[in-house]
Amino acid sequence: MDCLFCKLVKGEIPATILYQDEDVIAFEDIAPQAPTHFLVIPKRHITTLNDITESDTNVIGKLTLVAAKVAKEKGIADDGYRVAMNCNEMGGQTVYHIHMHVLGGRNMTWPPG
Protein backbone atom coordinates (compact mmCIF):
# COMPACT_ATOMS: atom_id res chain seq x y z
CA MET A 1 0.00 0.00 0.00
CA ASP A 2 1.35 3.40 -0.97
CA CYS A 3 -0.76 5.57 1.34
CA LEU A 4 0.64 9.02 2.12
CA PHE A 5 -0.93 9.15 5.59
CA CYS A 6 0.20 5.61 6.48
CA LYS A 7 3.74 6.73 5.64
CA LEU A 8 3.26 9.77 7.89
CA VAL A 9 2.05 7.54 10.74
CA LYS A 10 5.16 5.35 10.30
CA GLY A 11 7.41 8.43 10.45
CA GLU A 12 8.53 8.05 6.83
CA ILE A 13 7.16 11.50 5.92
CA PRO A 14 7.78 14.52 8.17
CA ALA A 15 4.87 16.37 9.71
CA THR A 16 4.24 18.94 12.41
CA ILE A 17 2.54 16.70 14.97
CA LEU A 18 0.04 18.38 17.28
CA TYR A 19 -1.26 15.30 19.08
CA GLN A 20 -0.58 11.58 18.99
CA ASP A 21 -1.67 8.50 20.89
CA GLU A 22 -2.00 4.80 20.07
CA ASP A 23 -5.08 5.33 17.87
CA VAL A 24 -4.97 8.78 16.25
CA ILE A 25 -2.60 11.51 15.16
CA ALA A 26 -3.24 15.22 14.52
CA PHE A 27 -0.90 17.30 12.39
CA GLU A 28 -0.71 20.63 10.55
CA ASP A 29 -2.07 20.64 7.00
CA ILE A 30 0.71 21.25 4.45
CA ALA A 31 -1.58 23.45 2.31
CA PRO A 32 -3.63 25.37 4.89
CA GLN A 33 -6.94 26.86 3.80
CA ALA A 34 -7.36 28.94 6.98
CA PRO A 35 -5.02 30.52 9.55
CA THR A 36 -5.44 27.31 11.57
CA HIS A 37 -5.81 24.11 9.55
CA PHE A 38 -4.92 20.70 10.87
CA LEU A 39 -5.91 17.12 10.15
CA VAL A 40 -6.87 14.33 12.52
CA ILE A 41 -6.54 10.77 11.24
CA PRO A 42 -6.77 7.25 12.61
CA LYS A 43 -3.41 5.52 12.65
CA ARG A 44 -5.05 2.41 11.22
CA HIS A 45 -5.79 2.72 7.52
CA ILE A 46 -9.47 3.20 6.64
CA THR A 47 -9.84 4.21 3.00
CA THR A 48 -13.10 6.22 3.00
CA LEU A 49 -16.02 7.00 5.27
CA ASN A 50 -17.90 4.28 3.36
CA ASP A 51 -15.43 1.73 4.75
CA ILE A 52 -16.11 2.46 8.43
CA THR A 53 -17.58 -0.48 10.35
CA GLU A 54 -19.13 -0.91 13.78
CA SER A 55 -15.70 -1.91 15.09
CA ASP A 56 -14.42 1.58 14.18
CA THR A 57 -16.90 3.40 16.44
CA ASN A 58 -14.37 4.18 19.17
CA VAL A 59 -11.65 5.49 16.88
CA ILE A 60 -14.10 7.63 14.89
CA GLY A 61 -15.37 9.17 18.13
CA LYS A 62 -11.80 9.74 19.22
CA LEU A 63 -11.12 11.75 16.03
CA THR A 64 -13.79 14.20 17.16
CA LEU A 65 -12.50 14.41 20.73
CA VAL A 66 -8.96 15.06 19.52
CA ALA A 67 -10.19 17.69 17.04
CA ALA A 68 -11.88 19.58 19.90
CA LYS A 69 -8.85 19.19 22.19
CA VAL A 70 -6.38 20.51 19.63
CA ALA A 71 -8.77 23.31 18.58
CA LYS A 72 -8.81 24.45 22.20
CA GLU A 73 -5.01 24.24 22.43
CA LYS A 74 -4.69 26.24 19.18
CA GLY A 75 -7.01 28.95 20.58
CA ILE A 76 -9.83 28.60 18.04
CA ALA A 77 -12.41 26.71 20.10
CA ASP A 78 -14.22 29.67 21.66
CA ASP A 79 -14.52 31.69 18.43
CA GLY A 80 -15.50 28.63 16.40
CA TYR A 81 -14.09 26.35 13.76
CA ARG A 82 -15.17 24.02 10.97
CA VAL A 83 -14.74 20.26 10.88
CA ALA A 84 -15.01 18.50 7.52
CA MET A 85 -14.52 14.97 6.22
CA ASN A 86 -14.56 14.39 2.47
CA CYS A 87 -15.61 11.08 0.90
CA ASN A 88 -14.55 9.95 -2.57
CA GLU A 89 -13.84 12.04 -5.64
CA MET A 90 -17.01 14.12 -5.86
CA GLY A 91 -16.80 14.79 -2.13
CA GLY A 92 -13.33 16.25 -2.56
CA GLN A 93 -11.28 13.42 -1.05
CA THR A 94 -7.73 13.45 -2.41
CA VAL A 95 -5.94 11.20 0.10
CA TYR A 96 -7.69 7.86 0.49
CA HIS A 97 -7.14 7.44 4.23
CA ILE A 98 -9.99 9.02 6.19
CA HIS A 99 -9.10 12.33 7.73
CA MET A 100 -10.85 15.14 9.51
CA HIS A 101 -10.01 18.71 8.49
CA VAL A 102 -10.22 21.28 11.28
CA LEU A 103 -10.17 24.90 10.10
CA GLY A 104 -10.37 28.10 12.12
CA GLY A 105 -9.02 31.55 12.70
CA ARG A 106 -11.34 33.19 10.15
CA ASN A 107 -15.05 33.36 9.37
CA MET A 108 -16.29 30.32 7.47
CA THR A 109 -18.92 30.79 4.77
CA TRP A 110 -21.87 28.58 3.90
CA PRO A 111 -22.31 26.74 1.72
CA PRO A 112 -18.69 25.64 1.33
CA GLY A 113 -17.52 25.39 -2.30
Side-chain angles (χ1 to χ4, degrees), residues 13-31:
I13 294 175
T16 302
I17 307 297
L18 304 172
Y19 176 88
Q20 182 169 204
D21 66 23
E22 64 279 356
D23 301 314
V24 303
I25 187 169
F27 54 94
E28 296 283 357
D29 192 291
I30 62 167

Side-chain angles (χ1 to χ4, degrees), residues 38-89:
F38 61 91
L39 304 179
V40 186
I41 69 169
K43 286 187 169 180
R44 188 175 62 77
H45 184 87
I46 303 171
T47 305
T48 75
L49 287 172
N50 295 334
D51 300 303
I52 293 170
T53 67
E54 290 287 326
S55 66
D56 298 315
T57 300
N58 287 340
V59 74
I60 299 306
K62 198 169 200 182
L63 293 178
T64 307
L65 290 172
V66 169
K69 174 184 172 50
V70 175
K72 186 172 185 176
E73 290 171 357
K74 299 286 275 176
I76 61 170
D78 289 341
D79 287 338
Y81 55 96
R82 174 167 290 158
V83 175
M85 294 179 80
N86 303 325
C87 185
N88 283 326
E89 185 177 351

Side-chain angles (χ1 to χ4, degrees), residues 27-39 74 101-104 106 108:
F27 54 94
E28 296 283 357
D29 192 291
I30 62 167
Q33 301 299 304
T36 299
H37 185 175
F38 61 91
L39 304 179
K74 299 286 275 176
H101 291 264
V102 182
L103 302 103
R106 68 168 170 82
M108 300 292 148

